[in-house]
Amino acid sequence: RMVRASYAVCCCCLICICPSLYLQLLHMSMLSSESLFCVLFVFASLAHGAPPHYPVPIPPGGRLSVHGWLILPWEQVAPIKNASAPIHAWFVHHTPEFWPDSPHNFQIILGGSMHVMSTHENITYPIDLPYPPSSPLLVDEYTFTPPDPFPLNDLLGGQITSLVGVVYNGSFDTTYERSAIALATLYLDQPLPYATATYLNMSTAIIPFKTQQYYSYPRNPLFLSQKDPSPHFYLSHAIHAAPDFDQVIHVEMPLSSCVCTNCHDASHQLPSFLALASQPGATWQFPDIPNTLEARLMPSSSSSPSSSLSSVSAILFDDENGEDDSAYLDCQMKVLEEIHCVV
């Protein structure tokens, strides 16, 4: 069956000890990509710094192809005055496939930072992206694509830690023509493993989810320490059983709407669940919405069956085997935009 290799490492000391200083340094572009983000979600028991384990072999040099990445920017100051400032974002592997011999048969979401490259006149121009929170919505798809093929296995195994490529407005899947807007180097957050790396198994023995499930990635990883009352998240649909669909949406989640159910002991209280929700790759279940393309989560202005709902109920268990009597977090999410969707 499909097995997800999602992992975690501990928090950076700077984030844990002094998040306000971290934010100031972030805005001043004084943090390296290696120290930028160390809060990754855990789904397997790994020794810190140990190489990740996957359910299939990933020999070096394998899955050689052109691999593009959908850009989901973090909340940050737009690099208008400082064009060389790094751009911090989530990067979604574009586009996953189920075929056993496909070089794209992993669903991957990772953190990293893009550094714009100077032109041949030695001039550095800022990358023209809609930077949140000043730009509330992305509206278009923005992608990063290294023009030359590279082995995805080497990225999964940690041998590749940076990529040089082109930043585009658009992708191969958008209805409008994609246009190149910059050259940049993408530095992948270290140490391994990444936030989400899911092997896609095409076996018909895999039972599809009955209801929608999504992985979440905070638009501001420091929303808890900054006491943001209504943080924003990027949600990626959990690709599980063929056929399935690859979708990324943008939601807002008022923390005042969150209720902890069956929370009877100290380890299952609202603060601990919110901490779990702040970690990238947290899995949310939407029990009222069937897991079909037609019923996928969409903004209220769309014609989706869920469009009549101003918000949807999302449930987060503290493990993957949520039972009826398990403790869980129930929050209301408002879908603001669909960023990407491919069947």
Side-chain angles (χ1 to χ4, degrees):
R1 55 181 288 126
M2 183 195 76
V3 181
R4 188 176 65 202
S6 300
Y7 309 91
V9 292
C10 61
C11 296
C12 293
C13 293
L14 182 60
I15 298 177
C16 298
I17 297 173
C18 188
S20 61
L21 175 59
Y22 169 85
L23 185 63
Q24 293 176 25
L25 294 177
L26 175 62
H27 287 172
M28 294 170 63
S29 303
M30 295 175 64
L31 284 178
S32 68
S33 60
E34 288 79 5
S35 62
L36 173 63
F37 184 71
C38 301
V39 185
L40 298 181
F41 190 54
V42 60
F43 271 92
S45 298
L46 292 175
H48 175 67
H53 298 284
Y54 300 103
V56 291
I58 53 167
R63 293 181 173 83
L64 180 68
S65 184
V66 173
H67 297 282
W69 304 86
L70 180 68
I71 303 170
L72 304 176
W74 293 6
E75 294 184 8
Q76 58 201 287
V77 176
I80 297 175
K81 296 182 179 180
N82 183 8
S84 61
I87 298 166
H88 309 294
W90 300 110
F91 294 87
V92 181
H93 187 221
H94 185 274
T95 296
E97 297 174 335
F98 274 101
W99 303 109
D101 58 350
S102 170
H104 305 277
N105 57 4
F106 268 85
Q107 181 179 12
I108 304 172
I109 297 95
L110 51 83
S113 61
M114 288 190 304
H115 297 245
V116 66
M117 300 174 63
S118 301
T119 66
H120 65 278
E121 296 95 351
N122 201 30
I123 301 175
T124 302
Y125 296 98
I127 299 179
D128 186 16
L129 296 178
Y131 295 94
S134 57
S135 295
L137 301 176
L138 286 181
V139 181
D140 293 334
E141 284 191 28
Y142 293 87
T143 55
F144 172 86
T145 304
D148 297 325
F150 71 88
L152 188 66
N153 285 7
D154 291 5
L155 182 146
L156 290 169
Q159 292 80 28
I160 291 178
T161 59
S162 64
L163 299 165
V164 176
V166 183
V167 180
Y168 292 96
N169 182 341
S171 72
F172 292 115
D173 302 314
T174 50
T175 56
Y176 57 90
E177 183 178 357
R178 68 174 188 158
S179 57
I181 57 178
L183 296 175
T185 301
L186 167 58
Y187 294 94
L188 309 178
D189 284 337
Q190 297 295 312
L192 281 175
Y194 303 120
T196 302
T198 305
Y199 173 65
L200 304 181
N201 191 334
M202 198 175 179
S203 171
T204 55
I206 299 174
I207 301 175
F209 294 137
K210 292 183 179 180
T211 59
Q212 298 282 5
Q213 294 196 22
Y214 285 76
Y215 308 137
S216 67
Y217 305 86
R219 198 176 71 170
N220 175 13
L222 297 177
F223 75 87
L224 277 180
S225 63
Q226 294 175 7
K227 302 186 185 304
D228 185 347
S230 192
H232 290 233
F233 292 84
Y234 299 113
L235 266 58
S236 181
H237 180 256
I239 304 176
H240 178 65
D244 214 325
F245 61 95
D246 176 37
Q247 184 204 24
V248 176
I249 59 176
H250 167 204
V251 305
E252 182 178 10
M253 187 180 79
L255 298 186
S256 60
S257 72
C258 295
V259 177
C260 190
T261 302
N262 294 334
C263 299
H264 305 306
D265 57 75
S267 63
H268 295 110
Q269 297 298 321
L270 185 59
S272 61
F273 268 108
L274 291 179
L276 182 62
S278 71
Q279 297 176 346
T283 303
W284 294 86
Q285 300 181 23
F286 295 81
D288 300 326
I289 304 176
N291 186 33
T292 64
L293 175 67
E294 295 73 21
R296 69 189 187 277
L297 301 186
M298 292 287 285
S300 58
S301 59
S302 75
S303 58
S304 166
S306 61
S307 63
S308 60
L309 303 175
S310 58
S311 61
V312 291
S313 177
I315 289 178
L316 175 67
F317 289 96
D318 63 347
D319 56 55
E320 295 187 35
N321 303 311
E323 304 294 341
D324 292 340
D325 58 349
S326 298
Y328 63 88
L329 183 70
D330 190 342
C331 299
Q332 295 295 308
M333 291 184 180
K334 181 178 181 180
V335 183
L336 301 179
E337 60 179 330
E338 181 182 60
I339 300 171
H340 166 82
C341 188
V342 172
V343 179

